[in-house]
Amino acid sequence: GCVLDGKLYPYGEIARTEDCFRCSCSKEKIRCCSLFHTPIGYDKESCRVIFNKKICDYEVVQKSDPTKECNVYSRV
C-alpha cells in the first residue's frame, strides 16, 4: 500500500483520505488531489475561514457571529 500522513492506504483508488484528498495509490507512486477549494475572495475584515473535515470544505463565517455565513466571491 501507500503511506500518506502516517496512515497506510491500500493500492488502487482512494475516494477520500482523512485529510480530504482523493488519491490513486500504486507500487511506484501516490497521486492526490484535494476535494476542496480554498476561498480567497471574501471580506477578510469581517469574516474568517474554518475548515470543516466532515464535509471536506471551507466555511466562511462572520467573526462576530460564526453562525452566519459570509459571501465568497472566488476560490482556488
Side-chain angles (χ1 to χ4, degrees):
C2 298
V3 176
L4 181 66
D5 295 326
K7 183 168 180 184
L8 179 64
Y9 291 94
Y11 290 127
E13 297 299 315
I14 304 158
R16 177 180 164 180
T17 68
E18 289 181 3
D19 292 324
C20 297
F21 288 89
R22 178 183 356 229
C23 300
S24 177
C25 171
S26 70
K27 290 181 182 179
E28 296 81 30
K29 61 187 168 195
I30 185 167
R31 300 176 108 183
C32 298
C33 296
S34 66
L35 294 172
F36 52 88
H37 295 93
T38 306
I40 58 168
Y42 62 94
D43 181 354
K44 292 177 177 66
E45 292 290 320
S46 304
C47 305
R48 66 185 175 118
V49 176
I50 301 170
F51 189 72
N52 183 331
K53 265 193 168 181
K54 190 177 279 189
I55 62 170
C56 285
D57 202 5
Y58 286 100
E59 296 174 345
V60 182
V61 296
Q62 291 182 6
K63 289 179 181 177
S64 60
D65 185 356
T67 64
K68 294 182 180 175
E69 291 185 15
C70 293
N71 290 327
V72 177
Y73 305 104
S74 59
R75 294 176 181 254
V76 293

